């Protein structure tokens, strides 16, 4: 088993089979005094929240974290950890140099677009055990200490990156699920009076989050999607029925004939009446 692990590390996780070098590892008790943002030019840092909860600022964002969560700070990335409002926290801090994760710059865990704060919770128990073993190995000074620490460091980093990828996939899945649920909801209710606040409440999320997620998946906001569905429905009714334009407007969710005409003209390029004449003229031509 040990042979399989070491071969896998050299072959898959790191460029040129180079294992990282441990610079430091320690348990730190955080205090309410806010830590000044700092960075390390020559090494990367992994911070695991072992006990309690605290605040983390990294990559320009700030989040609350708790036991089991961890942070991946690449070289040169400003970061800070502190407690507030009576919080207590113990973290394990590890510094690594000569880190060459596959496809990354030296001493970098992640790409710029990837989230450095990972909410792993109980999923990081194995990572904590590896770090505790690494801490013990770092204290046991003997001929093979550096080699053992390098292998344990590599195992910790690879596991942390796997947990990070799994967390990213969960986030993407949640976004995808939210987008699909929202679209199905809009497809069922687009002819009814709707607001972004009401849609967000039905989905159980903030309107700002819903707007961002839906836009990323559908290429338009929920409100824009509603308008597109309504206008498409109006075009179908204008072409296939003799209903009055005012009645069609009501069926498509517009109580105001004037507003409906304005929106229709904006999206189609002509008034509903003109559209009906043209589309029926084309249909009549095809029949003859």
């Amino acid at each position: 088993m040990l042979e399989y692990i070491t071969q896998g590390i050299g072959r898959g996780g790191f460029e040129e089979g180079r294992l990282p070098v441990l610079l430091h590892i320690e348990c730190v008790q955080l205090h309410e005094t806010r830590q000044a943002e700092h960075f390390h030019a020559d090494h990367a840092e992994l911070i695991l929240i072992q006990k309690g909860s605290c605040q983390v600022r990294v990559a320009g964002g700030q989040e609350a974290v708790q036991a089991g969560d961890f942070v991946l700070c690449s070289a040169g990335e400003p970061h800070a950890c502190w407690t507030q409002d009576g919080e207590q926290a113990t973290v394990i801090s590890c510094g690594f140099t000569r880190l060459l994760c596959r496809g990354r710059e030296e001493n970098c865990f992640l790409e710029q677009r990837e989230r450095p704060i990972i909410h792993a919770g109980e999923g990081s128990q194995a990572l904590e055990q590896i770090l505790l073993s690494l801490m013990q190995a770092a204290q046991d000074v003997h001929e093979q200490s550096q080699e053992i620490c390098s292998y344990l460091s590599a195992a910790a980093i690879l596991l942390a990156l796997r947990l990070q990828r799994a967390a990213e996939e969960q986030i993407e899945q949640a976004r995808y699920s939210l987008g699909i649920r929202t679209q199905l909801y809009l497809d069922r209710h687009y002819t009814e009076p709707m607001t972004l606040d009401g849609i967000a409440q039905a989905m159980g999320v903030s309107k700002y989050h819903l707007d961002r997620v839906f836009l990323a998946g559908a290429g338009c906001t929920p409100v824009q999607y509603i308008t597109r569905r309504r206008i498409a429905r109006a075009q179908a009714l204008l072409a296939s029925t003799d209903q009055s334009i005012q009645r069609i407007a009501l069926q498509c969710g517009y109580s105001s004939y004037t507003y409906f005409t304005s929106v229709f003209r904006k999206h189609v390029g002509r008034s509903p009446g003109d559209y009906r004449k043209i589309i029926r003229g084309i249909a009549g031509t095809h029949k003859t």
Side-chain angles (χ1 to χ4, degrees), residues 237-238 241-243 248 272-280:
L237 292 173
L238 287 166
T241 75
D242 293 321
Q243 297 180 52
I248 289 174
D274 289 342
Y275 176 82
R276 170 175 268 172
K277 290 177 184 177
I278 293 171
I279 201 70
R280 288 195 170 185

Side-chain angles (χ1 to χ4, degrees), residues 224 227-228 231 254 262-270:
Q224 290 170 337
T227 300
R228 292 177 184 180
I231 296 302
Y254 295 100
S262 173
V263 173
F264 191 95
R265 186 188 297 276
K266 179 180 178 181
H267 284 78
V268 181
R270 52 180 52 90

